[in-house]
Amino acid sequence: MKLTKRMKKLKDRLFEVEYNDPGTWHFKEVNILEEHPELTEEPLVVRKAYAQYYIGKNLPVTIKEDELIVGNPNQNSVAWGTVMPLYFTKEEGEHAETYELNESSIWGHHPPQYDKVIKKGITGIIAEINAEIVSEMRCAKPNPKKLNEWRAMIIALDGVVEFARRYAQEALKLSLCCKDIVRKRELFEIYNTCRHVPQNPAHNFNEALQSFWFIYCMVNSAGEYVPFGRADQYFYPYYKKDMDRKAISKEHGADLMASFLVKCNERIIMDTKKAENHATFGMFSQGRIPELTEKKAQTGGYEQRQWTWKENEDINSDSNYNYGQSGNDWLMNCIVAGVNENGNDATNEVSYLFVDLMASMRLLMPTLAARVHKDSPESFLELLANTLRYGQGEPMIYNDDAIIPGFVHMGVPLEDARNYSNDGCWECLVAGKSHFSYAHIMNLQLIEFILFQGKSLKSGNKEAPDTGAPHIFKDYNAFYAAYLKQMKKAIDFQCERRIKNFGLSHMIAPDPLFSSIVDNCIEKGRDISQDGAKYIFHMLIITGLSNTVDSLAVIKKLVFEDKVVSMEELIQAVKDDWKGHERLCARVMNLVPKFGNDDDYVDAIAMTLMEDFEDMVDDWNRKQEKLLFCSGIGTFENYAVLGRDTWATPDGRGAGEALAPNFSPTAGMDISGPTSVIKSVTKPNLLRYFSGCPVDISVNSNEFEGGAGVERMVNLIKSFCNLDGQIMTITSTNVADLRDAQVNPHLHRDLRVRMGGLSAYFIAMAPAQQENIIKRFSR
Amino acid sequence: MKEQCAYVSNIQRFCVHDGPGIRTVVFLQGCPLTCKWCQNPEALDKNPQLMMSDGLCMGCSACINVCTKSAISVQGNKLLTNRELCDLCFACTKECYWGARKVSSKSYTVTELYEDVMKDKEFFVQSGGGITISGGEPTMHPEFCATLLQKCEGVSRAIETCGYTHWQAFEMLLPVTDLFLYDLKMYDEEKHRQWTGVNNKIIKDNLKKLIDCNKEVIIRIPLIPAVNDTREEFGRMLQFINSLRRIREVHVLPFHQLGISKYNQINKEYEMPNWQEENSNRIKQISKQLKDSGFRVSVGGIGFKTGKESKERPIE
């Protein structure tokens, strides 16, 4: 799309001003109990609501030049510290800490029901809450917990209204003294909009965007990292209405959309040294029963947060490694197009605007995904193809025809299944109705546990069961049986733990604001951090699948079938981190089939492993009813740091080397091109992996030139879908550009890359990450 | 009867420069020409060659131990192979886990090759792509290629050829081939002999006959600076192409020296290492001349024909 004058100005401001100084954070010194001692008597959830109200009342109000959509959230990326005012007592804090929880133990990830706010307005939602209160009060014994949750919701929602009201005032003030007659009118329009939404239902496209943005700002500012869900679906009815009655021009519609998208990017941090290493799992504690506490880094473990670049350490030190991934509004994902709840194509003009504007303006956020299906319009697929072939790596492709049946198989009603969206990373859930969490199963390390009888080579500690002396396995089946034992133990551990700790975080980190806009929290009078949401998903994730499968192939082929390497020899090599075993390492790397090359020998190992995994996870759905346990494959953007904590492995991988990202083949090992990768990842039945197993495909941009190139990309996407593939990213670039960007970062400020859930400006990635990306393209 | 075999030097999936749609290109061993600019010198001989990449050699000496001809010796920190002594048994390649020693090609039966190629059938069908047989020179194996292409019916089938073969070879391929990518290197017969080792009369004759058979033919010109891009030589080529009926598309393939590493790998001398590589201005002029003559012109060979076209309008 050709950028309008306004778009150019907005983009310039973003790249020239905002990216250099995205602003500071607020409120970490504020304690609302000191400001309002009378609140001490209130239950914690109500105090939290007052803290949220406080944010709405005190966030700075700034209206920037040329913008049509206004408002900025707190700088609430993981990079930026505690954003909430304190609302709990010292004792409450200390008590929570014994459960490895604190006020930051908010899970985020899942989108709220933005469309409900747009449609009903906050007034409408409060009316709904009041109705529940009235009906509860009629009971013989009204439930005080429910009543307090509802009270808290109302207070927190008032904070959103207050936030908007302050913007309205600012816009009016600016409008009154503005000399430029055009801008004066625009500011007055902003005043009218902010005066009206999100308190009331939106009337037009402008109001729908603004209403959405205010609610996002407030939810995000209180520590909840939330994605956008199906934003194009929420906006389109208003866009269409404006177009039908010719209330705005197409150009103005695009300008509004562009202004909205620019707001999403104003908090990006380009300087890797300013970003925090979030891979320590510090924030996302799911809590632990004190008696069960093991000091072991797990997802959801609570550890001291590490932040800021340490100048006196090299780029590979513990604190400096893996930086540069969190320099944005974390988890701000958005998914467009796809079918509606009736199963009909719902790709609309706003879907096109999202894709086109993100690419034309070279924007990073929201991280964009597109749903496709067998009836997707050809022109939409062409737009995706055209965007993807220029190396954007986005949008990520989601195949409705493969994902929706998975939800249904899980027991989710078809209408809800068709309304799925992605969460903050890439996992699929039902937008506005879900609580989503996950845990990694360290599949690769399980092999280490067999080879070293339960011991971790990295820590030296016994961390898993002893499945017997490894050299006595008589064949591969016996070895694999031990593997299944290790895997079952790991899955059971995580599932049991999640059942026990679910709801714990409510003691310190409830979120009444977020809860007020998630089905069925109002109806139940329960918080999202309890069991308020309609669906509670917990995904168990195969971590390092490709390395695991390649390792198993090495053991199967070289040790048991060809009998050319003894188990002892292999164990010694792994233990020695392959040092002194270079010839064996070369044999392992180059002469054993590798996942991702459409080689049935090794792909069959993946198929079996995945089936066994999903069976074990599925068992837990028969054992209890509260949580929906589902299977996925992933590393997120943490494949480097996950690898850093893993010792050498039988696939020839050295100690500390990155894992293969998500469902992708190991970097440098997929030597047969993109079609082979697609074939390998679609051989297993992915039905029960509906909540996510993304594969990253890298292609050379010069293979997609001209009209034939667009068509080729469309066909690559269609073939992936025909083969029942699920989620795919296609990144096209060339190595020369990436190399040049390392040397001349200033010339490549807008070079973006994408791997699974990670989307980042290349120059803002850690050198180690950059090398990993380059390796993928250097075939 | 034993199934026919051929030496295959490479099977490359997801190729985009060798016909419409998403394709798999099969490179066969053996070529009747010896073009001085050849990019695949390891495929010239009709038999597999030993290829060695010094950069990958770790000096583990495992190859020395298995060589029955004592053809490999240590010289300083490098391993030297005496090609006079080597009898091409390739035992050393099996011991070389780093891939520093490789065989240039492997023998495939038609069925084996068919199964490998058809792994991407889903992509061929969706994109209107298919198989392209290249080389080496496919027409050196007409029966093998004809049987293979016969089996591949239903997807797009292309042959990339230098045209230097008996007409009978084309007769065998005609019924099972949808598209010929036909190399035209020079018009001048003497020059052609000097640069490629053979006379081009038969090449030109075969091209004319092929066109008379109503087959879709795309002409491909490897444009070598100062060899065939001169005003005089290219002028004659253009005149010749203009005289042919039914040619709609011409691909200009720029000269490059990336193949030099392969010459080193088979210890063969590359005659054009210092040849001028850059001729982008000339490529532009020549493309324009071709376009002015009414041809669709692609530099690099990615082509215009979309898979859609090839699906909707089968070759008449």
Side-chain angles (χ1 to χ4, degrees), chain A residues 582-583 586-587 590-591 598 672 674-676 678-679 702-705 711-712 715-716 718-719 722-723, chain B residues 13-14 16-17 19 21-22 60 62 95 97-98 119-120 122-123 126-127 302-308:
Chain A
E582 284 74 16
R583 207 172 128 72
R587 182 175 207 166
N590 300 324
L591 295 180
D598 195 7
S672 318
T675 56
S676 314
I678 290 174
K679 283 289 300 295
N702 60 12
E703 289 170 347
F704 296 94
E705 285 162 12
E711 196 194 296
R712 187 168 292 123
N715 285 321
L716 197 66
K718 282 187 179 172
S719 304
N722 293 344
L723 288 163
Chain B
R13 296 166 72 169
F14 197 67
V16 301
H17 297 99
I22 295 170
C60 75
E95 285 302 310
Y97 301 160
W98 281 278
K119 282 181 163 183
D120 273 354
E122 177 67 43
F123 300 90
Q126 179 62 52
S127 70
I302 201 157
F304 299 94
K305 193 169 153 178
T306 63
K308 243 188 240 165

Side-chain angles (χ1 to χ4, degrees), chain B residues 169-237:
Chain B
F170 279 113
E171 276 184 331
M172 292 175 77
L173 293 169
L174 272 168
V176 290
T177 307
D178 305 311
L179 168 67
F180 287 91
L181 299 159
Y182 202 105
D183 269 22
L184 190 65
K185 290 160 181 123
M186 251 166 277
Y187 185 80
D188 185 283
E189 292 183 12
E190 186 42 42
K191 255 185 134 183
H192 196 275
R193 187 198 306 277
Q194 185 192 334
W195 284 94
T196 71
V198 301
N199 185 297
N200 65 359
K201 184 167 182 318
I202 188 170
I203 296 176
K204 289 185 278 189
D205 287 348
N206 281 339
L207 178 55
K208 283 186 219 159
K209 280 193 201 168
L210 201 56
I211 290 168
D212 285 339
C213 295
N214 271 341
K215 272 287 158 184
E216 184 174 5
V217 179
I218 294 175
I219 290 186
R220 305 192 121 188
I221 305 169
L223 204 67
I224 317 297
V227 176
N228 62 1
D229 76 343
T230 57
R231 204 170 286 263
E232 190 191 0
E233 178 53 34
F234 182 75
R236 280 193 278 180
M237 286 169 79

Side-chain angles (χ1 to χ4, degrees), chain A residues 249-407:
Chain A
S249 65
K250 273 208 159 162
E251 187 187 304
H252 189 67
D255 264 359
L256 282 167
M257 191 68 200
S259 185
F260 168 79
L261 290 172
V262 165
K263 292 315 285 181
C264 305
N265 288 269
E266 287 179 6
R267 290 304 212 183
I268 284 172
I269 303 156
M270 288 289 262
D271 184 352
T272 60
K273 297 183 179 181
K274 284 183 183 160
E276 183 204 12
N277 184 356
H278 68 251
T280 56
F281 304 131
M283 306 284 296
F284 295 100
S285 179
Q286 296 168 355
R288 255 178 255 195
I289 309 280
E291 303 84 67
L292 290 180
T293 303
E294 285 175 56
K295 286 289 166 220
K296 194 172 142 194
Q298 299 267 8
T299 305
Y302 174 72
E303 288 171 34
Q304 197 57 46
R305 300 172 59 184
Q306 297 184 17
W307 45 15
T308 66
W309 175 275
K310 292 198 174 61
E311 278 299 341
N312 53 352
E313 295 178 10
D314 73 51
I315 52 164
N316 279 320
S317 79
D318 274 337
S319 26
N320 291 353
Y321 189 78
N322 203 33
Y323 268 69
Q325 302 167 337
S326 43
N328 50 50
D329 278 77
W330 209 34
L331 307 189
M332 190 203 270
N333 257 349
C334 180
I335 194 163
V336 297
V339 299
N340 61 17
E341 60 270 18
N342 303 319
N344 301 321
D345 178 55
T347 311
N348 60 51
E349 284 154 82
V350 180
S351 329
Y352 285 79
L353 275 179
F354 259 106
V355 178
D356 201 347
L357 280 170
M358 292 283 300
S360 307
M361 294 180 77
R362 309 290 282 175
L363 300 174
L364 189 65
M365 305 308 284
T367 309
L368 199 63
R371 286 175 46 170
V372 301
H373 56 96
K374 62 178 185 340
D375 298 323
S376 289
E378 202 64 23
S379 61
F380 185 65
L381 293 173
E382 277 164 17
L383 175 64
L384 294 178
N386 204 14
T387 310
L388 287 166
R389 70 178 174 151
Y390 290 124
Q392 320 286 0
E394 272 180 41
M396 210 167 176
I397 304 295
Y398 282 65
N399 179 12
D400 281 4
D401 300 326
I403 292 169
I404 292 168
F407 275 102

Side-chain angles (χ1 to χ4, degrees), chain A residues 385-549:
Chain A
N386 204 14
T387 310
L388 287 166
R389 70 178 174 151
Y390 290 124
Q392 320 286 0
E394 272 180 41
M396 210 167 176
I397 304 295
Y398 282 65
N399 179 12
D400 281 4
D401 300 326
I403 292 169
I404 292 168
F407 275 102
V408 173
H409 183 263
M410 185 70 161
V412 172
L414 185 58
E415 293 71 33
D416 275 356
R418 283 170 172 160
N419 235 335
Y420 82 90
S421 83
N422 57 354
D423 80 332
C425 315
W426 39 253
E427 307 94 309
C428 301
L429 45 69
V430 184
K433 300 182 182 204
S434 308
H435 180 290
F436 190 94
S437 58
Y438 67 84
H440 284 290
I441 299 298
M442 303 305 293
N443 284 71
L444 183 57
Q445 213 186 4
L446 299 179
I447 297 179
E448 180 178 316
F449 291 151
I450 305 175
L451 299 184
F452 300 96
Q453 298 183 264
K455 226 173 85 180
S456 152
L457 286 177
K458 173 101 179 171
S459 72
N461 299 330
K462 189 168 180 301
E463 293 181 2
D466 176 358
T467 35
H471 57 271
I472 56 160
F473 296 118
K474 64 176 193 313
D475 54 17
Y476 175 73
N477 286 342
F479 183 90
Y480 186 66
Y483 185 84
L484 291 182
K485 234 182 251 173
Q486 294 283 1
M487 190 160 84
K488 180 159 170 36
K489 170 88 182 169
I491 290 172
D492 288 353
F493 173 80
Q494 290 294 352
C495 291
E496 273 167 37
R497 209 178 95 168
R498 189 61 181 136
I499 291 165
K500 282 194 184 122
N501 70 19
F502 192 83
L504 285 181
S505 66
H506 184 64
M507 73 171 74
I508 191 76
D511 193 339
L513 175 58
F514 185 72
S515 302
S516 70
I517 38 178
V518 173
D519 269 12
N520 304 332
C521 293
I522 292 180
E523 197 182 319
K524 290 188 195 167
R526 302 278 282 177
D527 199 86
I528 180 85
S529 61
Q530 297 166 296
D531 50 5
K534 185 170 178 189
Y535 304 109
I536 302 170
F537 294 104
H538 190 65
M539 178 171 72
L540 281 299
I541 307 178
I542 300 182
T543 312
L545 178 100
S546 176
N547 300 99
T548 307
V549 168

Side-chain angles (χ1 to χ4, degrees), chain A residues 556-617:
Chain A
K556 185 175 185 200
K557 188 160 176 20
L558 296 187
V559 178
F560 291 112
E561 288 177 3
D562 299 354
K563 298 194 189 348
V564 291
V565 179
S566 73
M567 188 62 101
E568 287 84 348
E569 209 179 325
L570 184 67
I571 289 175
Q572 194 59 46
V574 168
K575 198 170 176 181
D576 297 343
D577 189 13
W578 297 103
K579 291 187 181 68
H581 307 269
E582 284 74 16
R583 207 172 128 72
L584 177 57
C585 188
R587 182 175 207 166
V588 156
M589 302 267 274
N590 300 324
L591 295 180
V592 180
K594 295 280 179 284
F595 181 69
N597 294 288
D598 195 7
D599 184 314
D600 286 342
Y601 182 88
V602 62
D603 292 348
I605 295 176
M607 288 163 75
T608 310
L609 174 68
M610 286 170 62
E611 206 176 313
D612 290 327
F613 186 91
E614 62 194 10
D615 282 345
M616 286 177 186
V617 171

